[in-house]
Amino acid sequence: MFDHLLVLDIAGGAIRRVDLEGTVSTLVAETGSAPDGIVYDPASDRIFWTLMGRPSRGDDGPDFSARNGGLRSARLDGSDVATVLADGTITTGKQLDLADGHLYWGDREGGRVTRAAVDGSEVTDLVIRPRDPETGLVDIADQCVGVAVDVASRHLYWTQKGPAKGDAGRIVRAGLDLPAGETAENRTDIETVWADLPEPIDLWFDTASSSLYWTDRGAAPRGNTLNRAPVPAAGETGGKPTILADGFGEAIGLAIDTDAGVAYVTALDGTVRAVPTHPDAPAERVVASVPGSAFTGIVGIPARTEQS
């Protein structure tokens, strides 16, 4: 079970520690520009997080198309902040997952899903979406955001959120390994498992139930929700998801405490909400609300990892 949560605050450029009773403190005061995805690696006792990088000002708001994102790490107590991948290695680092000693992340404006060893070596693109030959940009429908790895079946899942509130989002699946003779650009094993979603963001794969959880920041009633659905067999599409909670203020990150039967969801309005995923779990509640903050990625830290 989780002892506490670590939450990325994109407004403050910081990592906040959130105790389950609601106390909020600062673990890392300076993360780098626009932190988005975070994981904890028990093997190294370190946390890792992605950076979206420094945006320019676009006609429709911040423009993150410049390649200046990166990847950082620190000890679990927030000390020894280190650069794993230098700024410019990633275009726009989004959700981060950890599996088999490797980090997996979505690169939104980069139109990629990429893997690397936790020391920053072995950087490998697993998915590269096409770019417009004239603009050099990835179409918004092909921008990759959330990622989740199913190690047992060797599958990689990711979200392509599509336009804001556009009802054109997708959850996509491919093998965890590139097919023989194929590349990240031309692999033929990519399949869409859910389509026409409001705006799916982050993913969580539950091994025990072979189900996916995801946040969606699209328009109500299907958007700004926490969703769950069993993953379909190869070649099949997913069924209608169950909405576990709604009414979030731009839902982004999620972390599932499977032992407690609770999902923790962050939102850009600076809230962390606990949502029951099991009938015997405690009722839904707001764990923390921090005015002026905008929360993105979240990770739960199990009690057994607590440092003395």
Side-chain angles (χ1 to χ4, degrees):
M1 297 179 68
F2 292 167
D3 176 80
H4 62 278
L5 309 167
L6 298 181
V7 177
L8 296 174
D9 183 353
I10 193 171
I15 301 176
R16 312 297 184 192
R17 172 179 167 141
V18 179
D19 294 327
L20 300 188
E21 70 274 11
T23 302
V24 179
S25 58
T26 297
L27 186 79
V28 175
E30 296 183 7
T31 58
S33 298
D36 192 89
I38 184 170
V39 295
Y40 167 64
D41 176 24
S44 62
D45 201 36
R46 295 184 71 87
I47 52 175
F48 296 80
W49 64 93
T50 58
L51 299 173
M52 294 171 61
R54 299 176 305 280
S56 60
R57 184 175 296 277
D59 294 338
D60 299 320
D63 180 351
F64 285 93
S65 59
R67 190 179 176 94
N68 56 28
L71 184 63
R72 302 281 195 273
S73 77
R75 291 177 180 156
L76 187 56
D77 63 5
S79 65
D80 188 33
V81 174
T83 296
V84 180
L85 293 176
D87 294 353
T89 309
I90 302 170
T91 303
T92 313
K94 298 298 289 181
Q95 190 183 7
L96 188 62
D97 198 5
L98 174 70
D100 283 350
H102 286 78
L103 300 164
Y104 296 76
W105 64 89
D107 186 338
R108 191 178 66 192
E109 277 77 1
R112 300 167 187 253
V113 180
T114 305
R115 173 177 66 202
V118 294
D119 64 0
S121 65
E122 303 174 32
V123 177
T124 304
D125 289 323
L126 300 176
V127 177
I128 299 178
R129 306 304 294 157
R131 290 181 176 271
D132 185 295
E134 294 185 2
T135 67
L137 301 176
V138 175
D139 188 272
I140 194 169
D142 282 322
Q143 293 179 350
C144 305
V145 179
V147 293
V149 175
D150 175 5
V151 175
S153 71
R154 303 297 294 175
H155 276 129
L156 170 69
Y157 293 84
W158 70 95
T159 60
Q160 294 178 194
K161 77 180 189 68
K165 312 296 187 285
D167 290 322
R170 292 183 287 163
I171 297 177
V172 190
R173 173 171 64 190
L176 196 53
D177 306 294
L178 286 169
E182 297 185 1
T183 68
E185 293 95 338
N186 67 14
R187 60 187 305 168
T188 58
D189 63 337
I190 295 174
E191 56 180 335
T192 297
V193 283
W194 282 275
D196 302 322
L197 299 174
E199 195 180 348
I201 305 296
D202 281 5
L203 294 170
W204 178 285
F205 182 79
D206 180 28
T207 303
S209 64
S210 191
S211 296
L212 272 181
Y213 291 77
W214 68 88
T215 54
D216 192 302
R217 62 178 292 193
R222 295 189 301 138
N224 265 319
T225 52
L226 173 64
N227 304 267
R228 178 178 62 197
V231 297
E236 298 181 0
T237 55
K240 182 179 179 180
T242 298
I243 295 177
L244 300 176
D246 58 14
F248 294 95
E250 302 284 329
I252 303 292
L254 76 160
I256 311 294
D257 188 336
T258 54
D259 292 331
V262 177
Y264 294 94
V265 180
T266 61
L268 292 181
D269 63 357
T271 59
V272 179
R273 195 191 302 184
V275 177
T277 62
H278 187 277
D280 296 332
E284 183 177 328
R285 66 187 178 97
V286 174
V287 178
S289 179
V290 183
S293 291
F295 292 152
T296 52
I298 180 173
V299 64
I301 306 301
R304 65 180 178 276
T305 66
E306 184 74 343
Q307 303 298 292
S308 59

